[in-house]
PDB file of all heavy atoms in Angstrom:
ATOM      1  N   SER A  55     -32.532   2.057  56.438  1.00  0.00           N
ATOM      2  CA  SER A  55     -31.607   2.926  55.723  1.00  0.00           C
ATOM      3  C   SER A  55     -30.271   2.260  55.429  1.00  0.00           C
ATOM      4  O   SER A  55     -29.483   2.773  54.623  1.00  0.00           O
ATOM      5  CB  SER A  55     -31.368   4.215  56.507  1.00  0.00           C
ATOM      6  OG  SER A  55     -30.802   3.895  57.768  1.00  0.00           O
ATOM      7  N   GLU A  56     -30.039   1.132  56.079  1.00  0.00           N
ATOM      8  CA  GLU A  56     -28.768   0.463  55.865  1.00  0.00           C
ATOM      9  C   GLU A  56     -28.913  -1.019  56.154  1.00  0.00           C
ATOM     10  O   GLU A  56     -29.647  -1.423  57.050  1.00  0.00           O
ATOM     11  CB  GLU A  56     -27.695   1.073  56.772  1.00  0.00           C
ATOM     12  CG  GLU A  56     -26.298   0.535  56.550  1.00  0.00           C
ATOM     13  CD  GLU A  56     -25.261   1.259  57.393  1.00  0.00           C
ATOM     14  OE1 GLU A  56     -24.880   2.379  57.030  1.00  0.00           O
ATOM     15  OE2 GLU A  56     -24.858   0.702  58.441  1.00  0.00           O
ATOM     16  N   LYS A  57     -28.204  -1.816  55.366  1.00  0.00           N
ATOM     17  CA  LYS A  57     -28.158  -3.263  55.622  1.00  0.00           C
ATOM     18  C   LYS A  57     -26.740  -3.731  55.373  1.00  0.00           C
ATOM     19  O   LYS A  57     -26.132  -3.370  54.360  1.00  0.00           O
ATOM     20  CB  LYS A  57     -29.126  -4.005  54.703  1.00  0.00           C
ATOM     21  CG  LYS A  57     -29.172  -5.507  54.966  1.00  0.00           C
ATOM     22  CD  LYS A  57     -30.238  -6.164  54.140  1.00  0.00           C
ATOM     23  CE  LYS A  57     -30.310  -7.664  54.410  1.00  0.00           C
ATOM     24  NZ  LYS A  57     -31.373  -8.319  53.596  1.00  0.00           N
ATOM     25  N   LYS A  58     -26.240  -4.511  56.321  1.00  0.00           N
ATOM     26  CA  LYS A  58     -24.852  -4.949  56.255  1.00  0.00           C
ATOM     27  C   LYS A  58     -24.789  -6.458  56.278  1.00  0.00           C
ATOM     28  O   LYS A  58     -25.445  -7.105  57.108  1.00  0.00           O
ATOM     29  CB  LYS A  58     -24.062  -4.360  57.427  1.00  0.00           C
ATOM     30  CG  LYS A  58     -22.588  -4.689  57.408  1.00  0.00           C
ATOM     31  CD  LYS A  58     -21.871  -3.979  58.563  1.00  0.00           C
ATOM     32  CE  LYS A  58     -20.382  -4.289  58.545  1.00  0.00           C
ATOM     33  NZ  LYS A  58     -19.655  -3.602  59.644  1.00  0.00           N
ATOM     34  N   GLU A  59     -23.987  -7.017  55.374  1.00  0.00           N
ATOM     35  CA  GLU A  59     -23.720  -8.446  55.388  1.00  0.00           C
ATOM     36  C   GLU A  59     -22.225  -8.632  55.140  1.00  0.00           C
ATOM     37  O   GLU A  59     -21.740  -8.489  54.022  1.00  0.00           O
ATOM     38  CB  GLU A  59     -24.545  -9.169  54.312  1.00  0.00           C
ATOM     39  CG  GLU A  59     -26.036  -9.201  54.603  1.00  0.00           C
ATOM     40  CD  GLU A  59     -26.843  -9.997  53.593  1.00  0.00           C
ATOM     41  OE1 GLU A  59     -26.259 -10.556  52.649  1.00  0.00           O
ATOM     42  OE2 GLU A  59     -28.088 -10.040  53.750  1.00  0.00           O
ATOM     43  N   GLY A  60     -21.531  -8.913  56.233  1.00  0.00           N
ATOM     44  CA  GLY A  60     -20.095  -9.069  56.120  1.00  0.00           C
ATOM     45  C   GLY A  60     -19.437  -7.769  55.680  1.00  0.00           C
ATOM     46  O   GLY A  60     -19.663  -6.717  56.298  1.00  0.00           O
ATOM     47  N   ARG A  61     -18.675  -7.822  54.615  1.00  0.00           N
ATOM     48  CA  ARG A  61     -17.991  -6.608  54.120  1.00  0.00           C
ATOM     49  C   ARG A  61     -18.870  -5.762  53.207  1.00  0.00           C
ATOM     50  O   ARG A  61     -18.443  -4.695  52.756  1.00  0.00           O
ATOM     51  CB  ARG A  61     -16.711  -7.023  53.385  1.00  0.00           C
ATOM     52  CG  ARG A  61     -15.675  -7.717  54.261  1.00  0.00           C
ATOM     53  CD  ARG A  61     -14.389  -8.020  53.500  1.00  0.00           C
ATOM     54  NE  ARG A  61     -14.581  -9.001  52.429  1.00  0.00           N
ATOM     55  CZ  ARG A  61     -14.578  -8.703  51.146  1.00  0.00           C
ATOM     56  NH1 ARG A  61     -14.378  -7.457  50.736  1.00  0.00           N
ATOM     57  NH2 ARG A  61     -14.739  -9.652  50.243  1.00  0.00           N
ATOM     58  N   PHE A  62     -20.061  -6.230  52.931  1.00  0.00           N
ATOM     59  CA  PHE A  62     -20.952  -5.554  51.983  1.00  0.00           C
ATOM     60  C   PHE A  62     -22.071  -4.831  52.724  1.00  0.00           C
ATOM     61  O   PHE A  62     -22.727  -5.398  53.591  1.00  0.00           O
ATOM     62  CB  PHE A  62     -21.553  -6.566  51.006  1.00  0.00           C
ATOM     63  CG  PHE A  62     -20.523  -7.312  50.200  1.00  0.00           C
ATOM     64  CD1 PHE A  62     -20.005  -8.516  50.646  1.00  0.00           C
ATOM     65  CD2 PHE A  62     -20.050  -6.796  49.006  1.00  0.00           C
ATOM     66  CE1 PHE A  62     -19.042  -9.200  49.914  1.00  0.00           C
ATOM     67  CE2 PHE A  62     -19.090  -7.464  48.257  1.00  0.00           C
ATOM     68  CZ  PHE A  62     -18.581  -8.677  48.715  1.00  0.00           C
ATOM     69  N   THR A  63     -22.268  -3.568  52.371  1.00  0.00           N
ATOM     70  CA  THR A  63     -23.296  -2.742  52.994  1.00  0.00           C
ATOM     71  C   THR A  63     -24.075  -2.017  51.915  1.00  0.00           C
ATOM     72  O   THR A  63     -23.487  -1.479  50.969  1.00  0.00           O
ATOM     73  CB  THR A  63     -22.672  -1.700  53.948  1.00  0.00           C
ATOM     74  OG1 THR A  63     -21.951  -2.380  54.984  1.00  0.00           O
ATOM     75  CG2 THR A  63     -23.748  -0.820  54.566  1.00  0.00           C
ATOM     76  N   ILE A  64     -25.394  -2.012  52.058  1.00  0.00           N
ATOM     77  CA  ILE A  64     -26.238  -1.149  51.219  1.00  0.00           C
ATOM     78  C   ILE A  64     -26.662   0.025  52.079  1.00  0.00           C
ATOM     79  O   ILE A  64     -27.173  -0.168  53.187  1.00  0.00           O
ATOM     80  CB  ILE A  64     -27.497  -1.863  50.718  1.00  0.00           C
ATOM     81  CG1 ILE A  64     -27.186  -3.048  49.814  1.00  0.00           C
ATOM     82  CG2 ILE A  64     -28.375  -0.879  49.946  1.00  0.00           C
ATOM     83  CD1 ILE A  64     -28.439  -3.746  49.312  1.00  0.00           C
ATOM     84  N   SER A  65     -26.485   1.217  51.548  1.00  0.00           N
ATOM     85  CA  SER A  65     -27.027   2.427  52.148  1.00  0.00           C
ATOM     86  C   SER A  65     -28.167   2.918  51.282  1.00  0.00           C
ATOM     87  O   SER A  65     -28.027   2.989  50.056  1.00  0.00           O
ATOM     88  CB  SER A  65     -25.940   3.511  52.262  1.00  0.00           C
ATOM     89  OG  SER A  65     -24.905   3.087  53.122  1.00  0.00           O
ATOM     90  N   PHE A  66     -29.279   3.262  51.925  1.00  0.00           N
ATOM     91  CA  PHE A  66     -30.484   3.646  51.181  1.00  0.00           C
ATOM     92  C   PHE A  66     -30.950   5.017  51.640  1.00  0.00           C
ATOM     93  O   PHE A  66     -31.104   5.266  52.845  1.00  0.00           O
ATOM     94  CB  PHE A  66     -31.572   2.595  51.405  1.00  0.00           C
ATOM     95  CG  PHE A  66     -32.838   2.866  50.655  1.00  0.00           C
ATOM     96  CD1 PHE A  66     -32.934   2.608  49.304  1.00  0.00           C
ATOM     97  CD2 PHE A  66     -33.955   3.395  51.309  1.00  0.00           C
ATOM     98  CE1 PHE A  66     -34.097   2.864  48.600  1.00  0.00           C
ATOM     99  CE2 PHE A  66     -35.117   3.650  50.615  1.00  0.00           C
ATOM    100  CZ  PHE A  66     -35.192   3.385  49.256  1.00  0.00           C
ATOM    101  N   ASN A  67     -31.168   5.911  50.696  1.00  0.00           N
ATOM    102  CA  ASN A  67     -31.647   7.269  50.985  1.00  0.00           C
ATOM    103  C   ASN A  67     -32.960   7.467  50.237  1.00  0.00           C
ATOM    104  O   ASN A  67     -32.962   7.771  49.041  1.00  0.00           O
ATOM    105  CB  ASN A  67     -30.598   8.295  50.556  1.00  0.00           C
ATOM    106  CG  ASN A  67     -30.986   9.712  50.976  1.00  0.00           C
ATOM    107  OD1 ASN A  67     -32.154  10.069  51.053  1.00  0.00           O
ATOM    108  ND2 ASN A  67     -29.995  10.527  51.240  1.00  0.00           N
ATOM    109  N   LYS A  68     -34.058   7.283  50.953  1.00  0.00           N
ATOM    110  CA  LYS A  68     -35.372   7.330  50.310  1.00  0.00           C
ATOM    111  C   LYS A  68     -35.683   8.709  49.752  1.00  0.00           C
ATOM    112  O   LYS A  68     -36.226   8.840  48.647  1.00  0.00           O
ATOM    113  CB  LYS A  68     -36.451   6.895  51.303  1.00  0.00           C
ATOM    114  CG  LYS A  68     -37.821   6.704  50.691  1.00  0.00           C
ATOM    115  CD  LYS A  68     -38.785   6.123  51.715  1.00  0.00           C
ATOM    116  CE  LYS A  68     -40.150   5.867  51.099  1.00  0.00           C
ATOM    117  NZ  LYS A  68     -41.086   5.250  52.092  1.00  0.00           N
ATOM    118  N   SER A  69     -35.359   9.741  50.489  1.00  0.00           N
ATOM    119  CA  SER A  69     -35.703  11.088  50.050  1.00  0.00           C
ATOM    120  C   SER A  69     -34.927  11.476  48.786  1.00  0.00           C
ATOM    121  O   SER A  69     -35.444  12.171  47.910  1.00  0.00           O
ATOM    122  CB  SER A  69     -35.449  12.112  51.156  1.00  0.00           C
ATOM    123  OG  SER A  69     -34.066  12.116  51.516  1.00  0.00           O
ATOM    124  N   ALA A  70     -33.699  11.008  48.698  1.00  0.00           N
ATOM    125  CA  ALA A  70     -32.883  11.311  47.525  1.00  0.00           C
ATOM    126  C   ALA A  70     -33.099  10.304  46.401  1.00  0.00           C
ATOM    127  O   ALA A  70     -32.587  10.497  45.291  1.00  0.00           O
ATOM    128  CB  ALA A  70     -31.400  11.346  47.905  1.00  0.00           C
ATOM    129  N   LYS A  71     -33.824   9.260  46.689  1.00  0.00           N
ATOM    130  CA  LYS A  71     -34.053   8.175  45.729  1.00  0.00           C
ATOM    131  C   LYS A  71     -32.728   7.624  45.216  1.00  0.00           C
ATOM    132  O   LYS A  71     -32.471   7.540  43.998  1.00  0.00           O
ATOM    133  CB  LYS A  71     -34.962   8.634  44.587  1.00  0.00           C
ATOM    134  CG  LYS A  71     -36.390   8.907  45.051  1.00  0.00           C
ATOM    135  CD  LYS A  71     -37.324   9.260  43.910  1.00  0.00           C
ATOM    136  CE  LYS A  71     -37.054  10.640  43.387  1.00  0.00           C
ATOM    137  NZ  LYS A  71     -38.024  11.063  42.366  1.00  0.00           N
ATOM    138  N   GLN A  72     -31.886   7.290  46.190  1.00  0.00           N
ATOM    139  CA  GLN A  72     -30.575   6.752  45.862  1.00  0.00           C
ATOM    140  C   GLN A  72     -30.250   5.590  46.788  1.00  0.00           C
ATOM    141  O   GLN A  72     -30.692   5.558  47.947  1.00  0.00           O
ATOM    142  CB  GLN A  72     -29.495   7.839  46.008  1.00  0.00           C
ATOM    143  CG  GLN A  72     -29.628   8.990  45.024  1.00  0.00           C
ATOM    144  CD  GLN A  72     -28.586  10.058  45.253  1.00  0.00           C
ATOM    145  OE1 GLN A  72     -27.896  10.075  46.265  1.00  0.00           O
ATOM    146  NE2 GLN A  72     -28.463  10.964  44.292  1.00  0.00           N
ATOM    147  N   PHE A  73     -29.477   4.644  46.284  1.00  0.00           N
ATOM    148  CA  PHE A  73     -28.951   3.586  47.128  1.00  0.00           C
ATOM    149  C   PHE A  73     -27.555   3.227  46.626  1.00  0.00           C
ATOM    150  O   PHE A  73     -27.250   3.409  45.433  1.00  0.00           O
ATOM    151  CB  PHE A  73     -29.876   2.364  47.190  1.00  0.00           C
ATOM    152  CG  PHE A  73     -30.186   1.714  45.873  1.00  0.00           C
ATOM    153  CD1 PHE A  73     -29.666   0.474  45.560  1.00  0.00           C
ATOM    154  CD2 PHE A  73     -31.044   2.316  44.953  1.00  0.00           C
ATOM    155  CE1 PHE A  73     -29.970  -0.151  44.358  1.00  0.00           C
ATOM    156  CE2 PHE A  73     -31.353   1.724  43.749  1.00  0.00           C
ATOM    157  CZ  PHE A  73     -30.820   0.474  43.453  1.00  0.00           C
ATOM    158  N   SER A  74     -26.747   2.771  47.527  1.00  0.00           N
ATOM    159  CA  SER A  74     -25.363   2.518  47.161  1.00  0.00           C
ATOM    160  C   SER A  74     -24.852   1.237  47.812  1.00  0.00           C
ATOM    161  O   SER A  74     -25.363   0.798  48.839  1.00  0.00           O
ATOM    162  CB  SER A  74     -24.472   3.697  47.560  1.00  0.00           C
ATOM    163  OG  SER A  74     -24.535   3.920  48.944  1.00  0.00           O
ATOM    164  N   LEU A  75     -23.866   0.674  47.177  1.00  0.00           N
ATOM    165  CA  LEU A  75     -23.185  -0.525  47.675  1.00  0.00           C
ATOM    166  C   LEU A  75     -21.791  -0.111  48.111  1.00  0.00           C
ATOM    167  O   LEU A  75     -21.063   0.527  47.350  1.00  0.00           O
ATOM    168  CB  LEU A  75     -23.099  -1.590  46.577  1.00  0.00           C
ATOM    169  CG  LEU A  75     -22.311  -2.854  46.937  1.00  0.00           C
ATOM    170  CD1 LEU A  75     -23.062  -3.670  47.997  1.00  0.00           C
ATOM    171  CD2 LEU A  75     -22.074  -3.702  45.697  1.00  0.00           C
ATOM    172  N   HIS A  76     -21.457  -0.489  49.334  1.00  0.00           N
ATOM    173  CA  HIS A  76     -20.121  -0.243  49.854  1.00  0.00           C
ATOM    174  C   HIS A  76     -19.459  -1.596  50.108  1.00  0.00           C
ATOM    175  O   HIS A  76     -20.057  -2.448  50.784  1.00  0.00           O
ATOM    176  CB  HIS A  76     -20.171   0.538  51.174  1.00  0.00           C
ATOM    177  CG  HIS A  76     -20.742   1.904  51.028  1.00  0.00           C
ATOM    178  ND1 HIS A  76     -20.067   3.048  51.419  1.00  0.00           N
ATOM    179  CD2 HIS A  76     -21.928   2.342  50.533  1.00  0.00           C
ATOM    180  CE1 HIS A  76     -20.809   4.106  51.183  1.00  0.00           C
ATOM    181  NE2 HIS A  76     -21.937   3.717  50.644  1.00  0.00           N
ATOM    182  N   ILE A  77     -18.266  -1.758  49.587  1.00  0.00           N
ATOM    183  CA  ILE A  77     -17.494  -2.972  49.849  1.00  0.00           C
ATOM    184  C   ILE A  77     -16.284  -2.556  50.670  1.00  0.00           C
ATOM    185  O   ILE A  77     -15.390  -1.854  50.186  1.00  0.00           O
ATOM    186  CB  ILE A  77     -17.045  -3.661  48.547  1.00  0.00           C
ATOM    187  CG1 ILE A  77     -18.251  -3.923  47.636  1.00  0.00           C
ATOM    188  CG2 ILE A  77     -16.332  -4.974  48.869  1.00  0.00           C
ATOM    189  CD1 ILE A  77     -17.879  -4.482  46.264  1.00  0.00           C
ATOM    190  N   MET A  78     -16.292  -2.963  51.918  1.00  0.00           N
ATOM    191  CA  MET A  78     -15.202  -2.621  52.828  1.00  0.00           C
ATOM    192  C   MET A  78     -14.054  -3.616  52.644  1.00  0.00           C
ATOM    193  O   MET A  78     -14.276  -4.758  52.265  1.00  0.00           O
ATOM    194  CB  MET A  78     -15.696  -2.667  54.269  1.00  0.00           C
ATOM    195  CG  MET A  78     -16.991  -1.924  54.520  1.00  0.00           C
ATOM    196  SD  MET A  78     -16.875  -0.178  54.126  1.00  0.00           S
ATOM    197  CE  MET A  78     -15.861   0.356  55.482  1.00  0.00           C
ATOM    198  N   ASP A  79     -12.842  -3.146  52.921  1.00  0.00           N
ATOM    199  CA  ASP A  79     -11.668  -4.022  52.831  1.00  0.00           C
ATOM    200  C   ASP A  79     -11.703  -4.811  51.512  1.00  0.00           C
ATOM    201  O   ASP A  79     -11.643  -6.041  51.505  1.00  0.00           O
ATOM    202  CB  ASP A  79     -11.637  -4.973  54.032  1.00  0.00           C
ATOM    203  CG  ASP A  79     -10.368  -5.807  54.098  1.00  0.00           C
ATOM    204  OD1 ASP A  79      -9.332  -5.361  53.565  1.00  0.00           O
ATOM    205  OD2 ASP A  79     -10.428  -6.919  54.666  1.00  0.00           O
ATOM    206  N   SER A  80     -11.814  -4.102  50.414  1.00  0.00           N
ATOM    207  CA  SER A  80     -11.956  -4.744  49.106  1.00  0.00           C
ATOM    208  C   SER A  80     -10.800  -5.698  48.822  1.00  0.00           C
ATOM    209  O   SER A  80      -9.633  -5.413  49.149  1.00  0.00           O
ATOM    210  CB  SER A  80     -12.023  -3.677  48.008  1.00  0.00           C
ATOM    211  OG  SER A  80     -13.146  -2.832  48.198  1.00  0.00           O
ATOM    212  N   GLN A  81     -11.135  -6.829  48.227  1.00  0.00           N
ATOM    213  CA  GLN A  81     -10.174  -7.879  47.930  1.00  0.00           C
ATOM    214  C   GLN A  81     -10.145  -8.151  46.424  1.00  0.00           C
ATOM    215  O   GLN A  81     -11.149  -7.933  45.738  1.00  0.00           O
ATOM    216  CB  GLN A  81     -10.551  -9.152  48.670  1.00  0.00           C
ATOM    217  CG  GLN A  81     -10.561  -9.013  50.184  1.00  0.00           C
ATOM    218  CD  GLN A  81      -9.184  -8.682  50.741  1.00  0.00           C
ATOM    219  OE1 GLN A  81      -8.198  -9.344  50.392  1.00  0.00           O
ATOM    220  NE2 GLN A  81      -9.107  -7.659  51.581  1.00  0.00           N
TER     221      GLN A  81
END
Side-chain angles (χ1 to χ4, degrees):
Chain A
S55 61
E56 185 175 283
K57 183 174 181 180
K58 183 176 181 179
E59 291 184 1
R61 297 184 294 107
F62 301 91
T63 299
I64 297 180
S65 297
F66 182 77
N67 186 329
K68 189 174 183 178
S69 61
K71 292 184 287 185
Q72 295 177 348
F73 58 109
S74 60
L75 175 69
H76 296 236
I77 306 174
M78 311 300 288
D79 187 26
S80 299
Q81 299 297 311

